[in-house]
Amino acid sequence: MPLLNIFLDDGGVITDKQRRAAEFERLVGDCFVALLGRTEAAWTRAHRTVVDRLADPQSQEALATADFVSFYRAYQFRWVGGMCELLDLPTPPKEECLDLAYRTLGWITRRIHAALPGAVEAIRLLHRQGYALHTASGSCSLELAGSFEGLGLLRCFGRLYGADLVNTFKEGPEYYAHLFADVGVQPAEALVVDDSTDALDWAARLGARTILVSSSLRPVAGAILRLRSLSELPDFLQQRG
């Protein structure tokens, strides 16, 4: 039987956020040129402009919804539609825009290789040791599936959460409550590994065990366990029994 159900955050724990964003931007042009024409450089500029627009407070307010799935659909529609507008292309109907977005996200994420040093090897070792592994990400399971397929890690995981799978933003304890319920485990049977102290606090409030992944030397409030990288986790768990 698995010793623990381990819930791993992605960005900052498994993959490098900055490298991932840079590779995504580089691949946007490749994908959209094949689908809609224009040039790679034009799509890259359009992507950068639209993402910056969607990050401003006014856009964030317009995108605000009570559930994650509605937010994600609205974001992807504005992403594709905004780029088409900048490139003087006709904006497809909403469902076609979403289909383009999802196809593109799948294609791009499978080609991104931004794993942090030792993370892939640590996940494979934890899987061999019998731990039940799941992700606990604030992004979408579609993107996680593409990324881990590209890294050769899909077989190591149970469910790839993905805020969409529980339709709950990763913004409080209810996110983890829904994850644990969906997997069918009690919080005491879960170990949450994240690079955010806020996320770990939400999980700990429910009774889950937590580990912070951070290479920073800055002190952390409380008695939180900290590792410098995910690569240290297999040995740490063996030492702790």
Side-chain angles (χ1 to χ4, degrees), residues 24-223:
F24 189 101
E25 184 176 286
R26 177 179 58 82
L27 290 163
V28 162
D30 257 3
C31 189
F32 274 106
V33 164
L35 293 170
L36 297 175
R38 299 293 193 266
T39 67
E40 291 180 20
W43 282 106
T44 299
R45 288 193 299 270
H47 165 74
R48 193 178 297 140
T49 299
V50 172
V51 167
D52 287 345
R53 285 180 184 173
L54 290 172
D56 71 41
Q58 187 174 357
S59 292
Q60 289 292 306
E61 185 176 345
L63 286 167
T65 60
D67 66 283
F68 180 84
V69 171
S70 297
F71 161 80
Y72 193 76
R73 284 172 58 86
Y75 186 98
Q76 301 308 329
F77 173 64
R78 290 189 177 217
W79 176 55
V80 173
M83 290 191 293
C84 286
E85 182 180 348
L86 286 173
L87 296 177
D88 294 320
L89 291 166
T91 300
K94 185 171 185 177
E95 292 304 319
E96 289 185 30
C97 270
L98 292 174
D99 180 63
L100 278 170
Y102 299 154
R103 286 164 57 196
T104 301
L105 290 168
W107 188 90
I108 291 174
T109 53
R110 287 195 298 274
R111 288 160 175 78
I112 290 176
H113 297 283
L116 288 163
V120 169
E121 294 78 9
I123 289 168
R124 290 175 176 159
L125 179 55
L126 290 167
H127 175 67
R128 290 197 301 270
Q129 290 173 340
Y131 294 99
L133 303 179
H134 311 280
T135 53
S137 170
S139 64
C140 180
S141 60
L142 168 71
E143 299 177 42
L144 294 168
S147 176
F148 293 156
E149 181 182 338
L151 294 173
L153 293 175
L154 275 183
R155 67 181 182 84
C156 296
F157 285 92
R159 299 208 74 187
L160 299 176
Y161 300 98
D164 57 306
L165 295 190
V166 289
N167 203 14
T168 305
F169 289 97
K170 189 177 178 180
E171 294 178 347
E174 61 278 0
Y175 170 82
Y176 289 102
H178 292 162
L179 255 63
F180 300 154
D182 198 67
V183 174
V185 299
Q186 295 299 314
E189 300 168 331
L191 170 65
V192 175
V193 183
D194 208 295
D195 67 328
S196 164
T197 54
D198 286 340
L200 296 179
D201 178 63
W202 300 329
R205 286 188 220 171
L206 300 174
R209 312 176 203 194
T210 61
I211 292 179
L212 176 71
V213 168
S214 173
S215 59
S216 171
L217 297 177
R218 289 178 296 178
V220 179

